Amino acid sequence: MRVAFPLDRPFPVIELDEVDSTNLEALRRVAAGSLDNAWLIARRQTAGRGRSGRSWHSADGNLAASLTIFPGCAASIMPELSLVTGVALHAALSSCLPPSSDGARPLRLKWPNDVLAGDGKLAGVLIESTSAGNRAGPIAVIGIGVNLCSAPQIDGRATIAARDLGISLDARTLLGHVDRKMRRWLDIWLGAAGFARVREAWLERCGPLGVPVTVDTGSEMIAGTFAGLDETGALLIDSVPANSKHRRRITFGDVSLMPLKGEGST
Ligand code: BTN
């Protein structure tokens, strides 16, 4: 696939002090024709957006950034970008962790792209796509939020901050790491290795198969065990009881994993 932007140098960064949401601002700038392949980063968001219509709370010092790209791909494969971003974000955050003596991998991915430490949510991604008259193909606004200095207290949801894991970077420095990994994984995705390599990397980072999960699709609650991803990146769930041998393919939904230590859910 032809890469529509240079991946051998960092994406430009536009820094804002305060904005409602970096995703919304990026979408406005795309509509006005004033934003190309670039990051928007804000010190403060007054109306940060999360998945499934939720709000995203990010205190001062946390990372709130949106990368706008024109990937030059068919709209039908845009969902793959969600997993590309998850792998890149997981890789970036993992590279910032202090070395562990036992070689443990403390971070894992939860479908499609949450980064968890233990059961706590460390980072989330909201991808919004749009189009512009003068461009062929979709435009993606990849919004990334990382609980860098502090994690919001949210009823029923476990959260954690990078600082609690020994990561003591500022948001702009962390963005540099995220940018590097995004370019690496975009290059793999859009190159010869393609989505198959991304899927493999995602599966290496998601923790064990077979763990109990529930998925809220908005119209239905599905309970079962995590059975991996199909070749398009859709989530596979084996329904409970397992002997019913019924496998569901999920393309949209909020996933909750069984807690590792018996409290809260992610
Ligand atoms: C989620 O619900 O997990 C997704 C959270 C995404 C938050 C980021 S912060 C930067 C960007 N701007 C937004 O309004 N949302 C995303």
Side-chain angles (χ1 to χ4, degrees), residues 1 39 77 89 96 139 142 162 190 194 196 202 204 209 216 243:
M1 202 181 301
W39 288 102
I77 63 163
L89 185 55
C96 297
I139 298 164
I142 305 168
L190 297 168
W202 194 97
E204 285 162 10
L209 303 187
D216 182 354
N243 62 11

Side-chain angles (χ1 to χ4, degrees), residues 16-26 28-29 40-48 64:
L16 306 171
D17 197 41
E18 182 175 296
V19 72
D20 49 1
S21 145
T22 54
N23 270 28
L24 275 177
E25 179 64 13
R28 285 191 291 261
R29 290 184 186 211
L40 273 184
I41 179 171
R43 195 188 305 272
R44 263 184 312 283
Q45 291 191 125
T46 54

Side-chain angles (χ1 to χ4, degrees), residues 4-266:
F5 37 78
L7 289 169
D8 57 352
R9 53 178 182 272
F11 286 108
V13 180
I14 300 163
E15 297 188 53
L16 306 171
D17 197 41
E18 182 175 296
V19 72
D20 49 1
S21 145
T22 54
N23 270 28
L24 275 177
E25 179 64 13
L27 290 167
R28 285 191 291 261
R29 290 184 186 211
V30 166
S34 63
L35 185 63
D36 216 324
N37 299 293
W39 288 102
L40 273 184
I41 179 171
R43 195 188 305 272
R44 263 184 312 283
Q45 291 191 125
T46 54
R49 307 200 316 171
R51 295 182 74 228
S52 305
R54 286 191 292 268
S55 306
W56 179 262
H57 305 279
S58 57
D60 256 18
N62 285 355
L63 176 68
S66 301
L67 174 64
T68 299
I69 53 168
F70 301 78
C73 65
S76 57
I77 63 163
M78 284 293 271
E80 296 177 0
L81 183 56
S82 182
L83 276 72
V84 173
T85 305
V87 169
L89 185 55
H90 181 281
L93 287 163
S94 297
S95 73
C96 297
L97 285 169
S100 84
S101 48
D102 59 359
R105 300 183 95 180
L107 305 184
R108 60 181 171 148
L109 283 169
K110 187 184 76 162
W111 190 86
N113 47 28
D114 282 356
V115 181
L116 308 183
D119 296 320
K121 180 158 168 167
L122 175 62
V125 176
L126 175 67
I127 301 185
E128 303 187 75
S129 55
T130 181
S131 58
N134 57 343
R135 299 273 186 167
I139 298 164
V141 173
I142 305 168
I144 293 178
V146 180
N147 298 327
L148 189 51
C149 298
S150 61
Q153 304 288 311
I154 303 172
D155 276 355
R157 288 179 180 260
T159 56
I160 191 165
R163 184 167 282 179
D164 302 332
L165 302 169
I167 297 176
S168 54
L169 304 174
D170 60 69
R172 189 65 178 77
T173 308
L174 176 60
L175 185 65
H177 291 275
V178 174
D179 175 82
R180 207 163 14 258
K181 296 297 185 185
M182 276 305 295
R183 286 184 291 113
R184 170 173 156 68
W185 283 99
L186 284 168
D187 196 30
I188 290 169
W189 177 49
L190 297 168
F195 184 65
R197 175 68 193 106
V198 175
R199 176 180 174 274
E200 187 181 88
W202 194 97
L203 287 167
E204 285 162 10
R205 294 162 188 271
C206 67
L209 303 187
V211 296
V213 292
T214 56
V215 185
D216 182 354
T217 66
S219 56
E220 186 185 6
M221 281 298 270
I222 299 166
T225 57
F226 174 47
L229 304 176
D230 77 359
E231 68 289 350
T232 70
L235 175 67
L236 299 175
I237 303 284
D238 283 340
S239 54
V240 176
N243 62 11
S244 70
K245 291 246 187 314
H246 185 51
R247 182 161 282 190
R248 297 282 302 264
R249 178 179 178 275
I250 314 283
T251 55
F252 177 81
D254 256 346
V255 176
S256 300
L257 298 174
M258 184 65 137
L260 293 174
K261 297 181 202 91
E263 44 184 88
S265 72
T266 51

